[in-house]
Amino acid sequence: QVQLVQSGAEVKKPGASVKVSCKASGYTFTRYDINWVRQAAGQGLEWMGWMNPNSGNTGYKQKFQDRVTMTRDTSINTAYMELASLTSEDTAVYFCATASSGLYSAFDIWGQGTMVTVSS
Amino acid sequence: DIQMTQSPPSLSASAGDRVTITCRASQSVSRYLNWYQQRPGKAPNLLIYGASSLERGVPSRFSGSGSGTEFTLTITGLQPEDVATYYCQQTYSSPQTFGQGTKVEIK
């Protein structure tokens, strides 16, 4: 079935970087943009940016522009989100998601989420 | 950025009740408004796209309406499994933005 499977939980120190993976299966990976959304504990959802797996083109929310990088490896149908210069405010669950129907860009497929904890 | 404001922040209703959640946009988003359900510890699940279209597999007790700046999500006949937080999302302009969520509980 169509699914996105993310890498496991990470614990990082302030100032470090984290790289989260999102492996697609059940559909043609290069067909739909991969988006990243994060959620701090008890908080709402925050969109971070998108990547086109076919071209590698990206678009980032301005807040993350200077320290986020979204990439992909089409040989293994996997997208990556790397966030640098981590602070405690980056402690959150990070989701990848895609809009496979293309209708109103609604995210109909989500990964299970990856918990990233930033602590000294 | 377009601000999305949901009301109420939380509500408690009895099983079988009709529940309505409102989402207001700071400027028009046409019909580029989607609704998600998120149960604790889980990823969000798409319920409604394009303001009023029901996602495949979603129970028909869920419905959406609105356009422009004001939207509603209605649950007609609340069920115990509907206990969750509900989010609206606008995809009309970048950056796309979410409402702050409405937590629904059963009395």
Side-chain angles (χ1 to χ4, degrees), chain A residues 8 72 82 112:
Chain A
R72 88 288 193 212
E82 184 170 20
Q112 82 277 19

Side-chain angles (χ1 to χ4, degrees), chain A residues 39 43 45 47 104 107 110-111, chain B residues 34 36 38 43-44 87 91 96:
Chain A
Q39 184 173 40
Q43 303 300 308
L45 301 164
W47 177 78
Y104 295 94
F107 297 155
W110 291 72
Chain B
N34 309 310
Y36 299 86
Q38 187 179 33
Y87 294 94
T91 55
Q96 54 186 274

Side-chain angles (χ1 to χ4, degrees), chain B residues 25-103:
Chain B
S26 60
Q27 63 190 78
S28 176
V29 298
S30 185
R31 295 184 63 83
Y32 284 79
L33 191 287
N34 309 310
W35 290 97
Y36 299 86
Q37 175 193 66
Q38 187 179 33
R39 297 190 174 103
K42 299 294 186 182
N45 182 52
L46 178 64
L47 297 176
I48 301 284
Y49 61 91
S52 61
S53 296
L54 191 68
E55 172 69 356
R56 194 180 312 176
V58 174
S60 58
R61 64 180 178 273
F62 292 93
S63 62
S65 65
S67 67
T69 62
E70 189 150 339
F71 302 87
T72 59
L73 173 71
T74 300
I75 309 172
T76 303
L78 187 67
Q79 298 298 307
E81 59 265 33
D82 300 335
V83 169
T85 300
Y86 294 82
Y87 294 94
C88 61
Q89 173 205 34
Q90 69 81 17
T91 55
Y92 181 76
S93 73
S94 188
Q96 54 186 274
T97 45
F98 293 86
Q100 78 279 20
T102 295
K103 188 174 184 179

Side-chain angles (χ1 to χ4, degrees), chain A residues 97-116:
Chain A
T98 191
S100 71
S101 72
L103 297 172
Y104 295 94
S105 303
F107 297 155
D108 53 350
I109 304 169
W110 291 72
Q112 82 277 19
T114 297
M115 181 71 216
V116 175

